[in-house]
Amino acid sequence: MMPHILTRSLDRGATLFVIVVAAFGILIPLSNLLLPSGSAFQVPTYLMALFGKYACYAVLALSIDLIWGYCGILSLGHGAFFALGGYAMGMYLMRQIGSRGVYGNPILPDFMVFLNYPKLPWYWHGFDMFWFAALMVIVVPGLLAFCFGWLAFRSRVTGVYLSIITQAMTYALLLAFFRNDFGFGGNNGLTDFKDILGFNVQADGTRAALFALSCLAIIVAFLICRAVVTSKLGKVLIAVRDTESRTRFLGYRPERYKLFVWVLSAVMAGIGGALYVPQVGIINPGEFSPANSIESVIWVAVGGRGTLVGAVLGAVLVNFGKTVFTGALPELWLFALGALFILVTLLLPGGIMGLIGRPARRPKNVTPAAEPAE
Amino acid sequence: MAANAFDRIRSIVLSVFLTVALTVPALAGAFEDGVAKFANDDFPDTEEAIGLVANSGNPLAFPIISALQDDRLSADPDTKKVYITRQDGKIIDAATGAPVDKLPDNAASVRLNNRLRRSVEAALGSLTLLSPDPAKRIAAARSVFKSHEESALPVVEGALAKETNKAAKDAFAEARAAILLNTSGISDADKLDAIATVKARGDQEALALLTDLSDQSPLVTKAAASAISSIQSRLAVWSAVQNAWYGLSLGSVLLLAAIGLAITFGVMGVINMAHGEMVMLGAYTTFVVQDVIRTNLPGLFDYSLFIAVPLAFLVAGAIGVLIERTIIRFLYGRPLETLLATWGISLVLQQAVRTAFGPTNREVGNPSWMSGAFELGQITITYNRLWILCFTLAVFAILLAMLRYTALGLEMRAVTQNRRMAASMGIATSRVDALTFGLGSGIAGIAGVALSQIDNVSPNLGQSYIIDSFMVVVFGGVGNLWGTLVGAFTLGIANKFLEPVAGAVLGKIAILVLIILFIQKRPRGLFALKGRAVEA
């Protein structure tokens, strides 16, 4: 069974992609750790941390592409799942600080001591154990997505309406997490981490491992997405994307298919967030802002919607551009980003992959699918 | 004419009579006796003196008592004469008011202890009760109501008897009732009357007074309890009215911000994420207009908004048409792409304004007719909120009339209902689209003028309204302006009624969650279009 899925989902381009990501995931940490600093080929730690951040964004982009590119669900609130996964990991990291915090309280994180919490809130229990936190990284975004999706898809909320209420969802979470009495550190969020699984988060070795893990996460997420979209289920998803009502008339239950990919995608986003937090060293409510979620949609659009490789490429390229621009010409970044939104939607509906990849990727003897309706 | 003259004569006679009636006891020398008692500088004598002077009705009573309070009253124990050192340093004889060159050498100031200080305060309170200015009388009566000092009763009753001003008379009656309720040895019938008077006042202070009552006969206690519950229910009604007003005000702001969105979304199916930036452009237009007026024609400042409204409409409308012609028209039928492209436009506009005007808040002033507030019953209404509500309703009415009675409106409705059929009937749909988008943007610009009066004018102005406006449109349903109206006011009022219960942020979160749940039940909003247009 397993080899069959693998051979089906790994065409030539996909194999090449996996190999490239794996090469990055192995070579960059090795060069950072083994080569002497100052060598021309040594990747400095700050750059590796930056690439690690891009890798997490790439996982988020994959999760968005899975639902938007293959199922036509445009989520403007996917950053919420990313941030929830991040918060779950952040809570574990906060508990690991222990008595090394500013106030030296062995149980309560610093901000709780500062805000006069008498004891740990019930939802913080268990986060001192890594396995529990890791489980929550999957369960919390998954559960929220399940409830939200179950309600939304069952009542056939589609198109822009769905986009708007996903935006409302992340906005509501933004407001909630900004509150001090919500128990997640208010607008400062969670930061000042020390250890992850006993390793210092600042150490080069830990960073290298985290980067390698992020690349692994891209590969795994990519393979899962490929497996989904090349399966029969994936065909139904594409049918739902192109005309949902026709699919329904053919006897499928679109809401079940949508719910499945929606939850899968939320869990992937959550894992991306969980890997993001230890590498960036902070998680705060700003991650919930609707603008962040929309920005991650544009990564997918730039790379090429409906091409998983494109999503990863778009996330890395746009964020690289952001790093360069905000460093060199900070005033121009928003102009550039805005122009990117406009130009990509107007002139480049297929994204970068539409420019370079499409002819090779489309099987010759199959009639081209109709253009996506939305 | 004759009647008028008669009235005048009657009022003169009446006032003479009242003056005589009030000053008769003073003529008996109580005032002089009282003043002389100050000279003894003995606490019981001083207390008696305060009572005599305060109740004498003599015009010098107020200066004497206030001098006593400020340690400016001195007495010569030998001659028994009492002097006031006025605040400007001049010295007068307390009994006659005649100026004196300097204080006698052995004059000493009249001493007070804490008990006397309280009497002095009460006496001063009762003296302002007799002030010729009705506003001062009312204020004094209110303070007596609060303190319900038993010693003030004779003065209050005297003042009540001769009071002609309706408001002051009510205030005195309430003060009297407050004193009576807190005095022992008053008949139950009188106390019941007093409770009725206090109940009629019906505000927080009346409630506090009645709640603090103790040691009363069962009948009075019962009446007080029923008065308390009646006042509480009345106060609850007022607080509901207050919340409703705040809700209406918030609703008008939401409506103003959402109405343009409703047009573009309803007619064209275009989600315009740059809508908030159109609002922002309107606000900045107001800023520029005021800036020009300030430097060139300061006299016109009160009219700045009248100039800004059409200008903001033109600026935002023109930019809207430009956006439609250059970008949006290539994306029709692809709503999600439109959403992304307009988001891009919003980023560009924000950054453009930030580059041109700076990232900080710009100051937009309120014209004189928009500042200030007035009281209505127990709530305060600010003029700017009131005008914005009126303005919003006016814009709404004009828009409704435009859609109903003009050729463009007819064409817009035709395109909304069935684009292809409208095109077949010879309507230039693309021209209608451009004008509709321009109209929606222009109205957003007008909204910006209004919002500049109550919010900070910064490049982020639009962002803070965009999600709320979407909620309004989604809640109300597209393609129907009445839906937007109902949606805006429902959300505004619901928000303000949730706020006292849940707090501002939680209330907002609750509203968002409720809308998300509501969408499940009515995926197309409250007032959904029915029929074939739905699946189009």
Side-chain angles (χ1 to χ4, degrees), chain A residues 41-78:
Chain A
F41 295 101
Q42 200 250 8
V43 180
T45 308
Y46 81 91
L47 212 55
M48 189 171 63
L50 199 63
F51 290 152
K53 197 168 100 173
Y54 297 164
C56 299
Y57 286 148
V59 176
L60 174 61
L62 274 175
S63 75
I64 292 173
D65 197 19
L66 178 64
I67 51 167
W68 186 37
Y70 293 92
C71 197
I73 306 170
L74 176 56
S75 166
L76 297 185
H78 239 53

Side-chain angles (χ1 to χ4, degrees), chain B residues 306-487:
Chain B
F306 296 104
I307 305 166
V309 165
L311 263 181
F313 183 87
L314 288 180
V315 169
I319 292 182
V321 171
L322 189 73
I323 291 172
E324 202 278 339
R325 284 291 90 184
T326 52
I327 297 167
I328 290 175
R329 80 186 160 116
F330 301 108
L331 295 171
Y332 283 132
R334 292 156 63 194
L336 297 183
E337 271 87 346
T338 318
L339 198 156
L340 293 179
T342 49
W343 176 261
I345 296 169
S346 89
L347 292 183
V348 170
L349 287 177
Q350 264 179 56
Q351 189 59 37
V353 167
R354 198 171 287 134
T355 312
F357 292 94
T360 49
N361 290 346
R362 285 311 193 149
E363 168 157 2
V364 172
N366 290 26
S368 59
W369 48 272
M370 271 191 97
S371 16
F374 65 95
E375 304 258 334
L376 185 76
Q378 309 223 346
I379 62 173
T380 309
I381 291 177
T382 52
Y383 280 109
N384 55 6
R385 295 277 177 175
L386 183 66
W387 281 119
I388 286 178
L389 178 63
C390 298
F391 180 70
T392 308
L393 293 179
V395 169
F396 184 80
I398 291 171
L399 201 60
L400 217 56
M402 208 216 87
L403 285 178
R404 189 86 186 74
Y405 297 112
T406 64
L408 178 64
L410 183 70
E411 289 173 359
M412 271 156 96
R413 282 182 292 136
V415 174
T416 315
Q417 283 168 15
N418 194 327
R419 176 174 293 269
R420 279 188 183 173
M421 188 60 81
S424 318
M425 301 305 258
I427 294 173
T429 53
S430 72
R431 189 184 66 96
V432 172
D433 283 337
L435 288 178
T436 311
F437 202 84
L439 179 70
S441 305
I443 287 174
I446 292 181
V449 179
L451 293 184
S452 74
Q453 294 296 306
I454 52 170
D455 205 342
N456 296 328
V457 177
S458 76
N460 301 328
L461 173 75
Q463 290 289 302
S464 45
Y465 287 100
I466 189 75
I467 290 190
D468 286 330
S469 331
F470 273 132
M471 290 302 121
V472 168
V473 174
V474 165
F475 180 69
V478 293
N480 189 334
L481 283 185
W482 288 105
T484 314
L485 180 85
V486 174

Side-chain angles (χ1 to χ4, degrees), chain B residues 42-327:
Chain B
D42 173 52
F43 289 139
D45 277 0
T46 308
E47 175 152 29
E48 208 179 319
I50 294 169
L52 287 170
V53 170
N55 292 332
S56 66
N58 189 296
L60 280 169
F62 186 78
I64 291 176
I65 306 280
S66 67
L68 180 61
Q69 188 181 35
D70 301 348
D71 205 17
R72 289 184 282 107
L73 193 71
S74 351
D76 184 340
D78 302 332
T79 58
K80 297 282 176 202
K81 278 199 176 287
V82 180
Y83 305 96
I84 300 171
T85 310
R86 290 195 345 201
Q87 266 151 343
D88 55 10
K90 291 196 179 117
I91 295 159
I92 56 168
D93 185 322
T96 59
V100 176
D101 285 343
K102 68 183 200 59
L103 284 176
D105 290 340
N106 52 353
S109 64
V110 180
R111 290 169 305 141
L112 290 176
N113 62 9
N114 280 342
R115 213 170 97 81
L116 285 178
R117 272 191 198 100
R118 273 200 296 279
S119 315
V120 166
E121 274 163 28
L124 279 177
S126 64
L127 281 171
T128 44
L129 284 172
L130 303 171
S131 149
D133 178 4
K136 270 195 188 147
R137 288 204 298 274
I138 292 173
R142 292 238 165 102
S143 86
V144 171
F145 183 89
K146 247 194 246 172
S147 68
H148 44 74
E149 194 72 38
E150 204 181 317
S151 58
L153 187 60
V155 188
V156 169
E157 286 187 326
L160 180 60
K162 67 163 187 168
E163 185 58 65
T164 49
N165 182 306
K166 170 85 176 63
K169 206 177 176 80
D170 285 351
F172 281 134
E174 286 156 8
R176 176 173 174 271
I179 297 171
L180 287 183
L181 280 175
N182 283 283
T183 312
S184 46
I186 305 286
S187 75
D188 275 3
D190 281 351
K191 287 209 171 183
L192 290 184
D193 281 351
I195 287 180
T197 313
V198 173
K199 183 177 150 189
R201 175 171 169 152
D203 60 2
Q204 286 291 353
E205 278 174 18
L207 191 64
L209 181 84
L210 289 175
T211 333
D212 287 348
L213 280 188
S214 56
D215 296 334
Q216 303 287 344
S217 71
L219 196 63
V220 175
T221 312
K222 204 169 148 220
S226 94
I228 286 175
S229 72
S230 130
I231 291 179
Q232 273 170 342
S233 60
R234 196 160 9 149
L235 284 179
V237 169
W238 274 115
S239 107
V241 170
Q242 174 96 58
N243 281 340
W245 162 250
Y246 285 151
L248 279 179
S249 165
L250 177 64
S252 67
V253 170
L254 288 178
L255 177 60
L256 209 48
I259 198 168
L261 200 64
I263 293 178
T264 45
F265 192 18
V267 176
M268 306 160 67
V270 164
I271 283 283
N272 182 10
M273 297 294 269
H275 184 78
E277 276 56 45
M278 300 298 167
V279 175
M280 174 197 71
L281 286 177
Y284 272 95
T285 310
T286 319
F287 166 70
V288 172
V289 167
Q290 289 200 345
D291 209 37
V292 170
I293 285 181
R294 262 202 207 101
T295 48
N296 299 327
L297 305 152
L300 276 177
F301 190 75
D302 272 357
Y303 304 97
S304 57
L305 294 191
F306 296 104
I307 305 166
V309 165
L311 263 181
F313 183 87
L314 288 180
V315 169
I319 292 182
V321 171
L322 189 73
I323 291 172
E324 202 278 339
R325 284 291 90 184
T326 52
I327 297 167

Side-chain angles (χ1 to χ4, degrees), chain A residues 68 72-74 76 148 150-161 163-165 167-169 171-173 175-176 179 182 245 290-291 294-295 297-298 301 305 330-332 334-335 337-339 341-342 345-346 349 372-374, chain B residues 265 271 273 326-328 330-331 333-341 343-345 347-352 354-355 463-464 466-468 470-471 474 477-478 502-503 505-506 508-509 512-513 515-517 519-521 523-525 535:
Chain A
W68 186 37
I73 306 170
L74 176 56
L76 297 185
F148 187 91
W150 189 73
L151 285 168
F153 301 138
R154 195 184 50 130
S155 19
R156 298 183 191 173
V157 179
T158 52
V160 286
Y161 283 90
S163 305
I164 290 170
I165 64 168
Q167 197 181 21
M169 175 191 76
Y171 185 59
L173 283 169
L175 293 177
R179 287 171 62 86
F182 205 61
S245 45
I294 298 185
E295 210 177 304
V297 170
I298 205 63
R305 175 190 166 198
E331 326 69 65
L332 286 186
L334 277 184
F335 283 126
L337 185 65
F341 271 96
I342 298 166
T345 45
L346 270 188
E374 323 194 303
Chain B
F265 192 18
I271 283 283
M273 297 294 269
T326 52
I327 297 167
I328 290 175
F330 301 108
L331 295 171
R334 292 156 63 194
L336 297 183
E337 271 87 346
T338 318
L339 198 156
L340 293 179
W343 176 261
I345 296 169
L347 292 183
V348 170
L349 287 177
Q350 264 179 56
Q351 189 59 37
R354 198 171 287 134
T355 312
Q463 290 289 302
S464 45
I466 189 75
I467 290 190
D468 286 330
F470 273 132
M471 290 302 121
V474 165
V478 293
V505 178
L506 273 188
K508 189 151 191 168
I509 295 170
L512 288 174
V513 172
I515 291 176
I516 292 176
L517 292 177
I519 292 289
Q520 323 293 331
K521 274 275 153 241
R524 303 271 153 180
E535 281 298 322

Side-chain angles (χ1 to χ4, degrees), chain B residues 19-31 55-56:
Chain B
T19 320
V20 170
L22 260 154
T23 45
V24 164
L27 291 177
F31 174 71
N55 292 332
S56 66

Side-chain angles (χ1 to χ4, degrees), chain A:
Chain A
M1 186 66 196
M2 210 49 209
H4 169 67
I5 292 180
L6 270 183
T7 47
R8 191 191 65 208
S9 44
L10 277 176
D11 62 10
R12 200 149 26 112
T15 317
L16 185 68
F17 173 77
V18 170
I19 291 171
V20 169
V21 175
F24 271 115
I26 294 167
L27 290 180
I28 290 181
L30 285 184
S31 100
N32 174 266
L33 293 177
L34 299 182
L35 293 176
S37 68
S39 146
F41 295 101
Q42 200 250 8
V43 180
T45 308
Y46 81 91
L47 212 55
M48 189 171 63
L50 199 63
F51 290 152
K53 197 168 100 173
Y54 297 164
C56 299
Y57 286 148
V59 176
L60 174 61
L62 274 175
S63 75
I64 292 173
D65 197 19
L66 178 64
I67 51 167
W68 186 37
Y70 293 92
C71 197
I73 306 170
L74 176 56
S75 166
L76 297 185
H78 239 53
F81 302 123
F82 186 78
L84 282 175
Y87 263 98
M89 179 55 83
M91 285 160 82
Y92 164 74
L93 294 170
M94 284 310 265
R95 296 293 304 270
Q96 293 304 303
I97 298 174
S99 54
R100 283 169 294 173
V102 178
Y103 296 104
N105 189 314
I107 306 282
L108 294 184
D110 276 348
F111 75 89
M112 290 194 192
V113 181
F114 182 71
L115 294 172
N116 289 324
Y117 275 66
K119 60 183 177 57
L120 208 61
W122 61 268
Y123 43 83
W124 274 75
H125 286 287
F127 277 96
D128 47 342
M129 293 169 286
F130 183 78
W131 67 266
F132 183 79
L135 189 67
M136 285 301 123
V137 163
I138 294 171
V139 169
V140 173
L143 201 64
L144 175 67
F146 182 82
C147 297
F148 187 91
W150 189 73
L151 285 168
F153 301 138
R154 195 184 50 130
S155 19
R156 298 183 191 173
V157 179
T158 52
V160 286
Y161 283 90
L162 188 84
S163 305
I164 290 170
I165 64 168
T166 53
Q167 197 181 21
M169 175 191 76
T170 191
Y171 185 59
L173 283 169
L174 169 80
L175 293 177
F177 274 79
F178 261 122
R179 287 171 62 86
N180 274 335
D181 53 6
F182 205 61
F184 294 102
N187 60 352
N188 293 323
L190 310 175
T191 185
D192 208 13
F193 308 131
K194 308 274 190 230
D195 285 352
I196 179 165
L197 288 171
F199 301 102
N200 182 352
V201 283
Q202 304 284 350
D204 284 358
T206 321
R207 288 189 175 280
L210 282 169
F211 176 78
L213 269 176
S214 308
C215 289
L216 184 66
I218 296 183
I219 295 173
V220 172
F222 175 78
L223 289 179
I224 291 176
C225 290
R226 284 292 299 174
V228 168
V229 302
T230 52
S231 65
K232 279 184 184 158
L233 183 134
K235 298 268 188 298
V236 179
L237 289 181
I238 292 170
V240 169
R241 174 190 75 185
D242 293 344
T243 35
E244 184 171 343
S245 45
R246 196 177 297 171
T247 318
R248 188 178 296 117
F249 297 150
L250 286 173
Y252 293 98
R253 299 284 292 270
E255 61 274 14
R256 295 188 181 171
Y257 293 91
K258 285 164 98 171
L259 189 57
F260 170 74
V261 278
W262 172 252
V263 173
L264 179 65
S265 156
V267 169
M268 277 166 48
I271 293 173
L275 286 165
Y276 173 81
V277 170
Q279 301 190 65
V280 183
I282 186 169
I283 175 85
N284 62 26
E287 299 292 335
F288 284 104
S289 79
N292 273 15
S293 295
I294 298 185
E295 210 177 304
S296 27
V297 170
I298 205 63
W299 307 335
V300 179
V302 167
R305 175 190 166 198
T307 65
L308 295 167
V309 178
V312 175
L313 202 62
V316 173
L317 284 181
V318 175
N319 279 296
F320 182 69
K322 184 176 184 172
T323 309
V324 171
F325 256 102
T326 45
L329 301 158
E331 326 69 65
L332 286 186
W333 165 241
L334 277 184
F335 283 126
L337 185 65
L340 201 60
F341 271 96
I342 298 166
L343 294 179
V344 166
T345 45
L346 270 188
L347 308 174
L348 211 60
I352 297 172
M353 293 305 284
L355 280 183
I356 55 173
R358 185 153 288 177
R361 285 172 45 81
R362 190 168 272 169
K364 287 183 190 90
N365 52 356
V366 175
T367 47
E371 279 300 304
E374 323 194 303

